[in-house]
Amino acid sequence: MTQTTPSRRRFLQRTAMSLAGAALAGSALTALPAQAEIGYAEKEALTFGFIKLTDMAPLAIAYEKGYFEDEGLYVTLEAQANWKVLLDGVITGQLDGAHMLAGQPLAATIGYGTEAEIITPFSMDLNGNGITLSNDVWEEMLPDLPKRDDGKPVHPIKADYLKPVVDRRNAEGQPFKMGMVFPVSTHNYELRYWLAAGGIHPGYYDPSNGDTSGLIDADAQLSVTPPPQMPATLEAGTISGYCVGEPWNQQAVFKGIGVPVITDYEIWKNNPEKVFGITREFAETYPNTTVRLVKALIRAAKWLDADDNANRPEAVEILARPNYVGADEKVIANSMTGTFEYEKGDERPVPDFNVFFRYNATYPYYSDAIWYLTQMRRWGQIAERKSDDWYMETAKQVYRPDIYTQAARELIADGTMSADDFPDFDSETGFKPPQSEFIDGVTYDGRKPNEYLKQFPIGLKGEDQV
């Protein structure tokens, strides 16, 4: 016998009420609330995938707060083993959509790895990652770090201080190994950015010659480790550090096996992180469903940031449940409630460590997409020079602010949200102003990707090839 959950019962009750209302109104469906303006969902029962990270929160909140059901959607959320399994699930249709690495839809579209037409109408968050080093590496770095008056290290900590350790180990024939979650993950690109800014070469990819290891010319060797396995892999000594989302940096502090040295907020202030990905076919076959799920996710994101993060303690309790992130509440709360613990006892305020809605975090900016593409080019995943127009065209294939805008306008029209909650859609171009708050001081202008790449002493640019 199939168990009917409280959520399922609410959905069935809602459906029954809708059918009864339709029967009474006859053909006068236009008299229904604003929900009817975009049409009923063509597909109501949906399965979405996620990885056990705190930035899957908009999915959990949209489910737990009934926002999906408000849109006539009956959603099942399923944790996935790793990012490849998750992407394959979306491509094959086992999953209708998923919490994705921002680079995944882009890489799939350009044919790096698994080729498929994946789009994103919704950006899930800003920031949320950190870089953690093993205790022994930290001890080697510590004497050279600038200190505050209280003896604690000055933050942010640049990779310049890691370089002597890496050089020493390489000279002794001990390759310096670090973990990241996936070759097209924000974590890979952030870790590479931080290392290269400190003069440590993170290696090139050469897919045209069958080399997808990313180890060519590497001073530090980066390899894939699933997020929940990061702390155990570090503790085993297989890697000397990693870049990952929460709660897995704070877990290293909690267990006393490593020290987070920097957050991605300090590498690139308010950087884009995850997206919600669906196939182009899904969006075209189920346009009403697509707009409705984006509406629900927007509402969830706003709830997460509302009233200066007043809802975060409740969000922490939800995320700590085994069917979501399944980590200790205290560990999740360390970052989700606006603080970050670098070492045991060294807890500092980072109010924007996790941003889900403010700063237009949910809007899928073309300039965000182009930044990821520049990093793919910088490290050889895009083997040859591409024109600025190519970057723009690729971004427009994948990032879909048109769908987002339709969802947002519906929320404004039905009074659920205000126009002030969103960009000015009549003037929005999809490009953020040039951004300069990177750890190396380099300015990024999404309209000039090739000019941007020329600024880096380490990395491919112009006509360079591996």
Side-chain angles (χ1 to χ4, degrees):
M1 180 177 178
T2 303
Q3 182 180 7
T4 303
T5 64
S7 174
R8 178 61 172 164
R9 282 196 297 272
R10 288 196 304 272
F11 173 76
L12 293 172
Q13 289 163 0
R14 175 183 166 75
T15 302
M17 291 171 65
S18 296
L19 291 172
L24 288 171
S27 60
L29 293 178
T30 53
L32 291 174
Q35 174 180 320
E37 291 180 8
I38 55 169
Y40 287 108
E42 304 91 348
K43 185 175 185 181
E44 298 175 341
L46 303 167
T47 302
F48 297 149
F50 69 93
I51 298 293
K52 292 196 169 200
L53 294 162
T54 56
D55 56 23
M56 65 75 61
L59 284 168
I61 298 306
Y63 179 86
E64 295 293 336
K65 293 296 173 182
Y67 299 151
F68 285 131
E69 290 186 12
D70 287 347
E71 297 299 329
L73 306 176
Y74 173 54
V75 170
T76 300
L77 300 177
E78 292 185 355
Q80 305 296 300
N82 57 56
W83 293 112
K84 185 180 187 309
V85 168
L86 178 146
L87 178 62
D88 289 345
V90 173
I91 291 170
T92 62
Q94 290 178 297
L95 299 174
D96 294 295
H99 163 232
M100 283 189 184
L101 300 161
Q104 281 187 293
L106 292 159
T109 296
I110 66 173
Y112 184 81
T114 305
E115 187 169 1
E117 288 190 296
I118 306 292
I119 67 165
T120 178
F122 179 84
S123 180
M124 291 189 70
D125 64 319
L126 305 177
N127 311 317
N129 298 330
I131 296 173
T132 292
L133 297 173
S134 64
N135 289 334
D136 58 332
V137 171
W138 175 248
E139 291 300 325
E140 283 190 65
M141 290 173 59
L142 193 55
D144 298 322
L145 296 177
K147 308 293 194 302
R148 304 190 310 188
D149 291 342
D150 62 2
K152 296 187 185 300
V154 173
H155 281 264
I157 295 173
K158 295 186 175 184
D160 305 58
Y161 299 103
L162 177 62
K163 191 175 190 306
V165 179
V166 172
D167 290 346
R168 208 159 35 239
R169 296 202 179 186
N170 284 334
E172 294 168 357
Q174 302 175 27
F176 193 84
K177 297 181 179 181
M178 300 189 75
M180 48 80 183
V181 308
F182 203 66
V184 295
S185 67
T186 315
H187 319 77
N188 185 25
Y189 303 131
E190 288 170 346
L191 181 53
R192 286 170 174 272
Y193 198 103
W194 180 71
L195 290 169
I200 302 169
H201 201 307
Y204 291 125
Y205 297 85
D206 188 12
S208 58
N209 288 309
D211 190 329
T212 57
S213 68
L215 301 179
I216 298 169
D217 296 336
D219 297 325
Q221 299 183 6
L222 279 53
S223 60
V224 171
T225 303
Q229 296 176 24
M230 289 286 192
T233 308
L234 184 73
E235 188 172 21
T238 307
I239 54 177
S240 296
Y242 55 71
C243 183
V244 74
E246 286 310 308
W248 309 115
N249 296 287
Q250 295 298 272
Q251 183 79 342
V253 178
F254 186 74
K255 296 181 69 175
I257 60 171
V259 178
V261 292
I262 192 167
T263 69
D264 60 345
Y265 178 85
E266 297 161 315
I267 297 171
W268 175 14
K269 182 179 177 180
N270 291 332
N271 63 88
E273 176 47 24
K274 302 295 192 308
V275 297
F276 185 79
I278 55 179
T279 63
R280 180 183 299 278
E281 181 183 10
F282 181 95
E284 292 175 351
T285 305
Y286 311 117
N288 296 341
T289 303
T290 300
V291 172
R292 290 184 176 284
L293 71 87
V294 174
K295 285 179 68 181
L297 290 173
I298 291 173
R299 291 180 66 191
K302 184 177 181 182
W303 183 91
L304 281 159
D305 280 9
D307 302 322
D308 293 324
N309 296 351
N311 294 324
R312 293 294 181 88
E314 183 181 349
V316 167
E317 184 277 320
I318 291 169
L319 292 172
R321 297 172 190 171
N323 53 315
Y324 293 128
V325 179
D328 187 277
E329 279 191 49
K330 182 180 184 302
V331 174
I332 295 175
N334 267 6
S335 60
M336 276 287 283
T337 55
T339 61
F340 194 81
E341 194 169 12
Y342 291 92
E343 296 177 81
K344 281 194 174 176
D346 186 3
E347 190 173 281
R348 307 189 190 193
V350 188
D352 285 340
F353 182 85
N354 282 120
V355 172
F356 293 98
F357 189 73
R358 55 186 176 271
Y359 316 133
N360 296 324
T362 55
Y363 188 84
Y365 284 96
Y366 296 138
S367 51
D368 290 348
I370 291 171
W371 186 84
Y372 285 101
L373 293 168
T374 65
Q375 300 311 293
M376 293 177 191
R377 171 63 184 137
R378 185 181 181 186
W379 304 117
Q381 292 171 332
I382 296 173
E384 300 175 346
R385 183 188 185 278
K386 301 291 185 182
S387 69
D388 286 354
D389 286 344
W390 178 89
Y391 285 94
M392 183 68 233
E393 290 162 7
T394 305
K396 284 186 173 181
Q397 279 182 263
V398 179
Y399 276 48
R400 295 292 302 274
D402 56 320
I403 297 173
Y404 180 95
T405 299
Q406 187 179 359
R409 288 189 189 278
E410 289 288 329
L411 289 168
I412 295 167
D414 65 22
T416 304
M417 295 178 69
S418 162
D420 293 339
D421 290 322
F422 300 103
D424 179 355
F425 296 125
D426 292 331
S427 62
E428 180 58 62
T429 64
F431 283 84
K432 295 176 181 176
Q435 296 165 273
S436 58
E437 293 180 277
F438 288 80
I439 196 165
D440 56 2
V442 172
T443 296
Y444 168 61
D445 183 347
R447 297 181 184 276
K448 302 174 182 177
N450 282 296
E451 187 176 305
Y452 174 62
L453 286 166
K454 288 177 183 176
Q455 299 178 78
F456 298 109
I458 297 178
L460 302 179
K461 58 188 73 65
E463 302 298 331
D464 291 347
Q465 295 188 40
V466 177

